[in-house]
Amino acid sequence: MPSQIFVNLPVADLPRARAFYTGLGFTLNPQFSNDEGACIVISEHIYVMLLVRPYFQTFTHLPVAEPAKATAMLNALSCENRAEVESFVAKALAAGGSTPNPAKDHGFMYQHGFADPDGHQWEVFYMDEAAFAQQAEQA
């Protein structure tokens, strides 16, 4: 089974993207970073590779999508509680991101999200598994 995930994202301005993600509280792994890419450590097993668009293109024969114009993927990160969700979104806004959608409360799950300066969308959420189980039993 895979033990790590590396999310590769094309970026227009690597220093801006690096500043955005480190502004969220993530760290830069300089060992896997250079002028063409930056390795951002989200957790022990989750990494984001920010790759300048020409370098990103070398990994695929398909055209590289423009994330500010079309959604190809939504990334989701879990949080410990609702307050952490809102804190995360506030950090993203302060670092230069935007919120493409309003927060949603589904009862058992609370979600909000942000887009980075390149338009890559991230959902952050808190899910109360006990409330989910209770809601499922009632359905």
Side-chain angles (χ1 to χ4, degrees):
M1 294 294 294
S3 60
Q4 297 176 321
I5 183 170
F6 288 79
V7 177
N8 294 274
L9 300 176
V11 299
D13 181 333
L14 185 58
R16 178 186 72 182
R18 194 173 33 232
F20 175 80
Y21 284 93
T22 57
L24 294 178
F26 301 137
T27 58
L28 174 74
N29 180 336
Q31 182 181 4
F32 298 112
S33 301
N34 58 29
D35 292 340
E36 293 183 306
C39 178
I40 302 296
V41 181
I42 292 181
S43 74
E44 180 182 3
H45 302 290
I46 305 170
Y47 306 86
V48 174
M49 296 300 298
L50 305 171
L51 306 174
V52 294
R53 294 181 75 79
Y55 184 59
F56 184 94
Q57 184 67 70
T58 67
F59 291 94
T60 180
H61 66 280
L62 298 172
V64 177
E66 181 57 54
K69 296 180 181 175
T71 302
M73 176 173 59
L74 295 172
N75 301 296
L77 296 171
S78 64
C79 293
E80 294 292 321
N81 53 51
R82 290 172 62 117
E84 187 179 7
V85 169
E86 287 307 318
S87 175
F88 211 117
V89 172
K91 285 181 192 175
L93 292 172
S98 61
T99 53
N101 298 306
K104 296 176 187 165
D105 189 340
H106 301 281
F108 68 93
M109 181 172 66
Y110 180 74
Q111 72 184 81
H112 203 176
F114 62 88
D116 71 13
D118 286 284
H120 302 289
Q121 292 186 44
W122 292 83
E123 293 290 323
V124 286
F125 68 94
Y126 164 67
M127 183 167 53
D128 181 338
E129 292 185 30
F132 174 75
Q134 185 179 28
Q135 187 172 330
E137 288 175 7
Q138 295 172 354

